[in-house]
Amino acid sequence: MNAIALAKSYVPLLDAVYQTSSLTSALDGASELAQAGANANELIIPTLTMQGLGKYSRNDGYVKGDVTMTNKTVTCNFDRGRMFSVDNMDNAETAGLAFGRLAGEFIRTKVVPELDAFRFAQYASKTGIGSKSEDITTGEGAVKALRTAIVTMDDAEVPPEERYLFITSTILSLIEDMDTTASKAVLAMFAKITKVPQGRFYTAITQNDGTTKGQEAGGFAAATTGKALNFMVIHKPAVIQFEKHIAPKIITPEANQNADAWKYGYRNVGIADAYANKLAGIYENHVAT
């Protein structure tokens, strides 16, 4: 099997791992709505604007209105990658299988946690979203905090459908342990509830470049200015979230000028942003201390 065919054979595997492990994949936009921009890191997103009601005249009839469909070019704000080497003698007969396992573990343990953390931090840091800082220590406090988020969105006329709740296991357990009508009712108001490990759940993160001293390991960490999130409520249509999976770059040992080894590169390009007129569709609650 040549290198190009080998790369293509693992694209479905990579997509499957991402969909299985990513906590935020449910927020991905419909692929048919986004088009490739003029540059490799750009996407074209259609937006619809229209005017409100006007006074109807019995003589002149309707006030003329305009409906405008415009294409907005957005720049991908997530562009990360790594190149790995696997010695040819380590697995001479099954290099493809070795890569499959490497890719799966790399995406599950490194790529997806950072991608989720990046998205949460991007949405939580947007100016104009709903936000509250508090320490939640009881089930009653958790239910009250969620109701505040719901009422805030209701008052802003955010549609009740497609509201996704992302919440830490600790806060969710406080609510579930109550096992009351109130606790069950508040949880039933979301389209989906997803438990998020605290390690992926901050208002801001720092991404290591992989080359600077002290950052060689790559990956991410909570920023010094970041706060641990208790929960986030996200109305799916409010976010601009599209993911580009690039087919792995494979260099055979024969083509490798530096070593008798297979080289496997992975690059991930995507965007996590929010529509300016739909910021009310995002609400975050973070710890005060």
Side-chain angles (χ1 to χ4, degrees), residues 1 201 228-229:
M1 180 180 292
F201 217 28
L229 287 160

PDB file of all heavy atoms in Angstrom, residues 1 201 228-229:
ATOM      1  N   MET A   1       0.852  -1.196   0.000  1.00  0.00           N
ATOM      2  CA  MET A   1       0.000   0.000   0.000  1.00  0.00           C
ATOM      3  C   MET A   1       0.887   1.244   0.000  1.00  0.00           C
ATOM      4  O   MET A   1       1.787   1.385   0.817  1.00  0.00           O
ATOM      5  CB  MET A   1      -0.896   0.000   1.239  1.00  0.00           C
ATOM      6  CG  MET A   1      -1.815   1.218   1.314  1.00  0.00           C
ATOM      7  SD  MET A   1      -2.870   1.201   2.807  1.00  0.00           S
ATOM      8  CE  MET A   1      -3.930  -0.186   2.448  1.00  0.00           C
ATOM      9  N   PHE A 201     -11.930  22.647  31.444  1.00  0.00           N
ATOM     10  CA  PHE A 201     -13.039  23.565  31.674  1.00  0.00           C
ATOM     11  C   PHE A 201     -12.583  24.833  32.376  1.00  0.00           C
ATOM     12  O   PHE A 201     -12.714  24.958  33.596  1.00  0.00           O
ATOM     13  CB  PHE A 201     -14.092  22.826  32.503  1.00  0.00           C
ATOM     14  CG  PHE A 201     -15.517  23.146  32.144  1.00  0.00           C
ATOM     15  CD1 PHE A 201     -15.882  23.547  30.873  1.00  0.00           C
ATOM     16  CD2 PHE A 201     -16.516  23.020  33.093  1.00  0.00           C
ATOM     17  CE1 PHE A 201     -17.202  23.810  30.552  1.00  0.00           C
ATOM     18  CE2 PHE A 201     -17.851  23.279  32.792  1.00  0.00           C
ATOM     19  CZ  PHE A 201     -18.184  23.687  31.510  1.00  0.00           C
ATOM     20  N   ALA A 228     -11.824  28.416  36.882  1.00  0.00           N
ATOM     21  CA  ALA A 228     -12.463  27.118  36.657  1.00  0.00           C
ATOM     22  C   ALA A 228     -13.953  27.326  36.429  1.00  0.00           C
ATOM     23  O   ALA A 228     -14.620  28.033  37.193  1.00  0.00           O
ATOM     24  CB  ALA A 228     -12.231  26.205  37.858  1.00  0.00           C
ATOM     25  N   LEU A 229     -14.467  26.722  35.382  1.00  0.00           N
ATOM     26  CA  LEU A 229     -15.888  26.827  35.070  1.00  0.00           C
ATOM     27  C   LEU A 229     -16.689  25.820  35.882  1.00  0.00           C
ATOM     28  O   LEU A 229     -16.267  24.665  36.066  1.00  0.00           O
ATOM     29  CB  LEU A 229     -16.123  26.577  33.575  1.00  0.00           C
ATOM     30  CG  LEU A 229     -15.676  27.694  32.623  1.00  0.00           C
ATOM     31  CD1 LEU A 229     -15.505  27.167  31.210  1.00  0.00           C
ATOM     32  CD2 LEU A 229     -16.707  28.833  32.643  1.00  0.00           C
TER      33      LEU A 229
END
